[in-house]
Amino acid sequence: MMTTTDYEHGVVPQDQRKSWLSIATVWIAIGIDLSGAFLGVALASGMAFWPAIAATVLGSLLLGLLAMGCAYVGASTGLSSAMISRAVFGKVGGAILALAISVSLIGWFAVQAGFFGANAQIAFAEFTGIDVPVQIFTGVGAVLMALTAFWGYRAINRLSALAVPLLLLLLLVGVIVAFAVNGASGLDAPVEQTITFGGAVSLVMGIFILGVVLAPDMARWARTPKQAMIAGFVGFFFGNSIIIVVSILLARIMDGTELMAIFFALGLGGVAVVVLILAQWTTNTTNLYSAGLSFAAISKRFDRRMVTAVLGVIGIIIGVIGAADYFVPFILVIGIIIAPYGGVYLAAFFTGRRGPRWAHGAAVPTADGWSIAAWVVGILVAVATTNPADGPGFGWFTLTTISALDGLIVGFLVYLALVPLRRKVEPDAAASAPASAEPSRLDDPARLDDGVSA
């Protein structure tokens, strides 16, 4: 019998928590996707082999360290990213952020479904010689992804547990066969350097940075904060680096520019199809899962599974009609809005984790102006540092070269800078809820054991 509630309005009970390895497996499954494969090929053709590997390791290491902090918050509170936003920004601010997260993730769900469909069509045509409309592959793939998202974290966890060992085995087979066919001479072949080392590190971090910010959605299932930190580091370090490293190796050895085509050139067409299906399925299902989780947090009247079903239908329609690409600039804007939130909630938690806002059943303010101010400054900096060629922004200056990370860091620092002033203005803030607080609860104990058997 499987409990199907995901505790979207409250805390994950201790008896439902999972091991660190179980949670790390989910993040590794999310990290192994076609975006990482394309990035690996780009790095292989734009810089020398060992610097490309070093940039991948460093970028993934930084992601892993950052994920440890975000995962700690999720496991310590037991709350999703959207519910944490209520504690940090208040009812209104939390609802706005939850809506932004939902729209962003459903957009990416549609984009990734379309991406899957296009690559599946090519792979199927290579494998069978039959040309099937791309909409068929997009629709079928998106439905599979939506089904596991509908059933929730436990279904995603089981899918990941099955998919990750198989994916790792198939990727290893590809590398071994490639070495056997062409040897290692291609690793040291000269290439024109078009990507700097710092730029490569930025690219490696950029493809998974929002996943770090939303880490509490998975980390809240950890048995202890320590296990969540271990899972966060292992999951993001290995999850982000594995597919990039494999793609760099295969692109160099085979002198190819497309991972699926490389597998077919090696006579591993079946492997290519399985990798394509599992990699995108395990990654994209979590986009829809977190979208539903966030939207449901806006109101206790919303049931996560019902919301997930509705959002899934919307995402499938957008993906099938091929409209997803038109939403990318809009989604990038929302990403800039979401990223600084990670820095703000980290600062808010670590400077006031014993405060009333994190207590079970705590009253939440209608809006927390201090947190919102730090969030807004982070957003403005992220917009200012975004190169217009890379997305919506002005490119006035650079900090880390990753605009999302810029916003996160600035949001964190601004919140810390405001803490002394806040304590002077609100001397009783640490001892009691803000005066504007309403009797709205962060979690509802009555829901903690309301699992539905299936």
Side-chain angles (χ1 to χ4, degrees):
M1 307 293 279
M2 186 174 73
T3 302
T4 56
T5 179
D6 272 55
Y7 312 102
E8 59 268 26
H9 300 119
V11 176
V12 176
Q14 199 61 38
D15 64 355
Q16 294 294 319
R17 303 288 183 106
K18 311 295 181 182
S19 69
W20 72 266
L21 183 58
S22 170
I23 297 169
T25 301
V26 173
W27 276 320
I28 291 173
I30 296 171
I32 300 176
D33 68 346
L34 291 185
S35 299
F38 276 90
L39 176 58
V41 172
L43 294 181
S45 61
M47 60 194 305
F49 174 74
W50 288 112
I53 296 295
T56 301
V57 171
L58 178 58
S60 300
L61 175 65
L62 294 173
L63 275 179
L65 293 173
L66 185 58
M68 291 175 71
C70 296
Y72 182 88
V73 176
S76 296
T77 63
L79 300 173
S80 67
S81 303
M83 289 302 292
I84 289 171
S85 73
R86 288 170 60 85
V88 176
F89 298 122
K91 286 179 63 180
V92 174
I96 292 172
L97 184 65
L99 182 60
I101 292 172
S102 298
V103 173
S104 174
L105 291 176
I106 199 62
W108 283 121
F109 174 80
V111 170
Q112 291 287 346
F115 193 37
F116 168 83
N119 283 275
Q121 181 190 43
I122 294 170
F124 189 80
E126 283 278 347
F127 202 54
T128 66
I130 302 172
D131 186 21
V132 176
V134 68
Q135 291 84 357
I136 301 294
F137 293 104
T138 300
V140 171
V143 168
L144 289 175
M145 299 162 190
L147 284 174
T148 41
F150 175 82
W151 286 109
Y153 178 81
R154 298 169 189 82
I156 293 172
N157 182 257
R158 293 179 182 181
L159 173 64
S160 299
L162 292 171
V164 167
L166 183 56
L167 280 170
L168 295 178
L169 176 62
L170 296 178
L171 292 174
L172 180 62
V173 167
V175 171
I176 292 174
V177 173
F179 273 117
V181 172
N182 276 13
S185 59
L187 298 181
D188 296 321
V191 296
E192 179 184 355
Q193 182 168 337
T194 57
I195 304 175
T196 64
F197 183 81
V201 173
S202 298
L203 290 170
V204 169
M205 292 189 69
I207 63 172
F208 215 176
I209 189 70
L210 284 183
V212 170
V213 173
L214 301 178
D217 288 349
M218 306 298 172
R220 66 198 182 103
W221 292 88
R223 288 173 182 158
T224 65
K226 180 179 178 181
Q227 288 204 22
M229 294 173 73
I230 295 172
F233 180 80
V234 172
F236 279 86
F237 175 71
F238 289 102
N240 197 59
S241 59
I242 289 170
I243 188 64
I244 301 176
V245 169
V246 167
S247 297
I248 292 172
L249 283 168
L250 291 177
R252 279 294 194 144
I253 296 170
M254 299 298 294
D255 192 24
T257 58
E258 211 282 311
L259 187 63
M260 293 298 112
I262 290 172
F263 272 109
F264 277 101
L266 290 170
L268 300 173
V271 170
V273 172
V274 174
V275 167
L276 170 65
I277 293 172
L278 290 181
Q280 288 305 95
W281 188 354
T282 54
T283 298
N284 208 24
T285 191
T286 57
N287 282 332
L288 182 56
Y289 170 71
S290 286
L293 198 64
S294 297
F295 199 94
I298 295 174
S299 171
K300 290 183 181 178
R301 295 190 300 270
F302 296 153
D303 174 73
R304 184 202 63 82
R305 286 190 295 169
M306 184 59 66
V307 167
T308 301
V310 173
L311 294 179
V313 171
I314 294 171
I316 290 169
I317 291 172
I318 295 172
V320 168
I321 66 177
D325 291 343
Y326 297 104
F327 288 88
V328 170
F330 178 62
I331 298 169
L332 291 175
V333 170
I334 297 179
I336 290 174
I337 293 173
I338 296 171
Y341 157 62
V344 175
Y345 81 65
L346 282 173
F349 182 79
F350 288 113
T351 59
R353 56 180 165 171
R354 302 186 194 283
R357 72 172 72 192
W358 304 104
H360 299 305
V364 221
T366 301
D368 188 312
W370 303 91
S371 299
I372 292 174
W375 182 26
V376 170
V377 174
I379 292 171
L380 293 175
V381 170
V383 172
T385 60
T386 299
N387 190 313
D390 300 328
F394 301 109
W396 288 338
F397 57 91
T398 59
L399 295 176
T400 66
T401 71
I402 312 171
S403 58
L405 183 59
D406 293 341
L408 187 152
I409 293 172
V410 170
F412 179 86
L413 295 176
V414 170
Y415 187 94
L416 290 184
L418 290 175
V419 167
L421 178 60
R422 179 172 192 165
R423 286 173 178 165
K424 288 182 180 179
V425 175
E426 301 176 358
D428 298 327
S432 62
S436 61
E438 298 179 4
S440 173
R441 302 168 71 83
L442 280 176
D443 63 274
D444 185 350
R447 292 184 59 87
L448 297 188
D449 297 303
D450 66 348
V452 179
S453 296

